[in-house]
Amino acid sequence: MVRKIKAKLVLQLRNQGLSGRAIASAQGIARNSVQSVLETADRLGLGWDDVEEMPEAEVYAALFPGRGVRESVFAQPDWGRVHTELARVGVTLKLLHQEYVDACGQALAVMSYDRFCRLYGDFAAVSGATSRVGHKAGRSIEVDWSGPTMQLLDPTTGEISKVYLFVACLPFSWYAFVEATLDMRQESWLRAHTAMFSFFGGSVPRLVPDNLKTGVISHPREGEVVLNDAYREMAAHYSAAVLPGRVRAPKDKASVENTVSHVATWVIAGLRHENFTSLPQLRARISEQIDAYNRQPFQKRDGSRLSVFTTEEKPLMKPLPAALFEISTWSYKRKVNKNAHVVWARNFYSVPFSHIGAHVDLRVTDTMLEVYRNDERLTSHLLLPTSTTNQHQTNDADLPEGRSFQAWDRTRIDEWAGRMGPATVTVISKIFEAASIEEAGYDPALAVLRLSRRFSPTRVEASCALALRGPIRSPRYAHLRPLLDTGQDKTGHVPDEPEADDGGYVRGGAYYAGGTR
């Protein structure tokens, strides 16, 4: 049968000088079939030069149009609609086949599910469209670091610094994003993700990273994946789950692996003749290159990465949260002090008093400090400036009723001194007068007042009165404690000061009158 003849091969062999009889003998084809091909080609004026670049099937169709084509007895679906619907979340070929069967009803013959799947595959192959069975639109983003790097040049010193490239790809549309960073640390990793979500203008349910420590702490063969806390928090902010690829299984994120190789061509090689002196300058040029890359038409598919993303994928992505994700630092197992405060960066932040003595975790952003115990957030504070030290940031709700847990100030100290007596008030006042700033007087003043915890307030008042009668202008703890320890406050006697000796050492008259030395 002519249907089985490779018509292009027959024309090629004739072009090489073989006769019809020789072609039939060499290929095991009936002479009449070979003759039919040659006569038809001559009649249509088709020679080897005309069909050399054509596929075999097209050559046969040109010589014998319509031969071998059979009309299907089955109702034909709208394959374009099938291809579009299959991109939607939860839509499968099984569901679409059932809808096709329901639409045909009893009036038309319907094809089986196997034939339906096979013909859809043929449609995708012939039309150049990527099959939707593997990836769904707006469902996942694959992320990774590029192996090849770039450079920044310091124009003053001539020093070269390395620049790393963060690469992200939507595997459905192959729409790509690239961000340049100065390192591959945790903060750079998170900031690159924040920039990526802003670039895409939407979020997806799945993030597929590699098993870097900035994202994944451990990925055992059995058991649950242990994620980095900051990375899990960032993904949760964008309503995404982190599903890392298997260890040493790059095919689990083949799209981004392929994009990384393209980035090496479009970005690194494309900009190899340019020198960059600042990171913003480099990022601007990378953005231009990636925009051109996303607009480049597909070779085996209609449209470009940008057009497929814009028309088919972006409408299916989830909207971004109203606020950008804040990069955070975690500090673990900080003990809550007895004054219901925890220390961070040499400042003090209050914690609910019921957690005194417990160990808490601190989450610190650029503007906030949050206190967690296990998974419960206990309290939050505005972060004090880095230039301040020994300052207290206190929420009144964190402390019990009463004054004992409140931060000390001049008013509280004066009230305490007033309850003890006027002499104590005078001593405290003299302490603050001698201090260069008010805060410097808190500690010595409290040291005097806390003597009432060891001795009675009456005795402390008496010792202050006794000390004020002496020569010390501003009595302090070091002057009052000996009076209390020796009980002088009870007798009211102030020790005499030794007489001043302004004349120096005098030898005596006998020395100058003679005699022996």
Side-chain angles (χ1 to χ4, degrees):
M1 293 177 60
V2 177
R3 182 67 182 87
K4 294 183 179 180
I5 294 177
K6 294 184 178 180
K8 182 178 178 179
L9 178 60
V10 171
L11 296 177
Q12 181 182 7
L13 293 176
R14 186 176 73 167
N15 185 63
Q16 295 173 359
L18 274 67
S19 64
R21 186 187 298 271
I23 294 172
S25 176
Q27 298 297 321
I29 305 173
R31 290 175 56 191
N32 291 339
S33 298
V34 174
Q35 191 65 28
S36 178
V37 171
L38 298 177
E39 290 177 354
T40 304
D42 292 339
R43 185 177 73 253
L44 297 176
L46 294 177
W48 172 246
D49 293 338
D50 301 318
V51 301
E52 183 177 2
E53 301 298 330
M54 297 171 60
E56 179 70 47
E58 290 185 14
V59 174
Y60 181 83
L63 294 175
F64 308 104
R67 183 177 295 186
V69 177
R70 299 178 181 177
E71 289 294 332
S72 175
V73 298
F74 303 112
Q76 295 297 307
D78 181 353
W79 294 115
R81 177 182 173 278
V82 170
H83 186 70
T84 301
E85 289 296 315
L86 196 57
R88 297 185 176 277
V89 177
V91 178
T92 63
L93 283 172
K94 186 72 173 177
L95 174 63
L96 293 174
H97 175 260
Q98 185 60 51
E99 291 178 352
Y100 153 76
V101 172
D102 294 341
C104 293
Q106 302 295 327
L108 301 173
V110 295
M111 64 184 70
S112 66
Y113 174 64
D114 290 341
R115 179 184 291 272
F116 186 88
C117 294
R118 186 171 65 254
L119 292 181
Y120 167 70
D122 293 342
F123 165 81
V126 171
S127 64
T130 301
S131 174
R132 300 290 171 75
V133 177
H135 295 291
K136 298 289 186 180
R139 296 297 294 170
S140 63
I141 299 175
E142 298 177 5
V143 295
D144 201 357
W145 291 106
S146 168
T149 58
M150 300 186 74
Q151 295 178 338
L152 284 181
L153 172 66
D154 189 324
T156 304
T157 63
E159 182 181 355
I160 300 282
S161 57
K162 187 178 293 187
V163 176
Y164 302 88
L165 299 180
F166 170 87
V167 183
C169 176
L170 290 160
F172 173 79
S173 62
W174 289 62
Y175 192 60
F177 167 77
V178 177
E179 178 81 337
T181 67
L182 296 177
D183 55 59
M184 294 194 294
R185 296 176 182 173
Q186 177 80 64
E187 183 173 342
S188 298
W189 173 253
L190 297 177
R191 291 191 187 280
H193 276 76
T194 303
M196 172 197 73
F197 281 113
S198 298
F199 176 80
F200 288 148
S203 181
V204 297
R206 301 176 184 176
L207 277 176
V208 185
D210 209 342
N211 290 276
L212 297 168
K213 290 299 182 183
T214 50
V216 182
I217 295 177
S218 67
H219 190 167
R221 288 182 176 271
E222 298 181 359
E224 296 185 9
V225 176
V226 180
L227 299 176
N228 180 287
D229 285 341
Y231 192 48
R232 183 181 64 247
E233 181 183 1
M234 184 278 301
H237 181 80
Y238 291 101
S239 302
V242 179
L243 301 174
R246 293 168 297 172
V247 179
R248 291 185 292 276
K251 288 186 178 180
D252 286 358
K253 49 184 182 61
S255 299
V256 74
E257 295 287 349
N258 186 68
T259 303
V260 165
S261 67
H262 290 180
V263 165
T265 301
W266 280 82
V267 176
I268 300 177
L271 302 177
R272 68 189 183 279
H273 298 304
E274 301 183 32
N275 291 324
F276 301 97
T277 58
S278 68
L279 194 60
Q281 178 192 14
L282 175 58
R283 284 177 173 172
R285 288 291 290 120
I286 289 176
S287 178
E288 294 174 2
Q289 292 294 103
I290 290 299
D291 182 65
Y293 170 72
N294 286 327
R295 294 177 184 275
Q296 181 75 6
F298 289 118
Q299 293 183 349
K300 300 180 180 180
R301 181 179 175 184
D302 292 335
S304 63
R305 292 169 176 82
L306 177 61
S307 65
V308 175
F309 168 75
T310 304
T311 60
E312 299 187 45
E313 186 153 28
K314 188 173 182 179
L316 300 177
M317 297 178 72
K318 295 182 293 185
L320 295 176
L324 290 176
F325 175 71
E326 281 193 298
I327 307 301
S328 62
T329 301
W330 284 86
S331 179
Y332 299 99
K333 294 194 177 300
R334 294 276 182 149
K335 187 174 182 179
V336 181
N337 297 329
K338 292 183 178 180
N339 63 352
H341 284 72
V342 66
V343 180
W344 171 256
R346 296 185 296 177
N347 289 307
F348 302 87
Y349 298 87
S350 66
V351 179
F353 71 94
S354 58
H355 299 279
I356 290 176
H359 287 88
V360 296
D361 302 329
L362 307 183
R363 177 181 176 267
V364 184
T365 69
D366 294 337
T367 58
M368 296 288 295
L369 180 142
E370 297 176 319
V371 183
Y372 286 82
R373 186 175 183 184
N374 299 323
D375 294 330
E376 178 187 2
R377 189 177 76 167
L378 304 180
T379 188
S380 62
H381 299 273
L382 287 174
L383 196 65
L384 289 169
T386 55
S387 58
T388 63
T389 58
N390 297 322
Q391 297 297 308
H392 288 74
Q393 191 80 315
T394 306
N395 292 332
D396 292 340
D398 292 338
L399 305 181
E401 295 182 0
R403 300 294 300 273
S404 60
F405 279 83
Q406 296 182 13
W408 287 104
D409 55 21
R410 178 68 186 273
T411 302
R412 287 193 67 196
I413 292 173
D414 287 343
E415 289 178 358
W416 190 358
R419 291 194 296 271
M420 296 176 65
T424 306
V425 172
T426 303
V427 168
I428 297 302
S429 297
K430 288 180 175 293
I431 289 175
F432 277 107
E433 290 174 3
S436 57
I437 59 174
E438 183 176 288
E439 285 77 6
Y442 289 174
D443 185 66
L446 289 171
V448 170
L449 297 174
R450 286 167 181 159
L451 285 170
S452 61
R453 296 177 178 175
R454 179 178 293 271
F455 306 96
S456 68
T458 303
R459 291 192 60 188
V460 174
E461 169 68 12
S463 67
C464 288
L466 189 61
L468 289 171
R469 298 200 326 251
I472 305 301
R473 180 178 182 279
S474 178
R476 298 200 174 202
Y477 174 88
H479 306 110
L480 301 175
R481 181 64 186 266
L483 298 179
L484 293 166
D485 287 340
T486 58
Q488 295 179 54
D489 59 290
K490 298 178 181 178
T491 64
H493 173 69
V494 181
D496 295 332
E497 292 290 322
E499 294 182 0
D501 189 0
D502 298 331
Y505 181 73
V506 180
R507 298 179 186 272
Y511 177 84
Y512 298 99
T516 60
R517 291 186 179 182

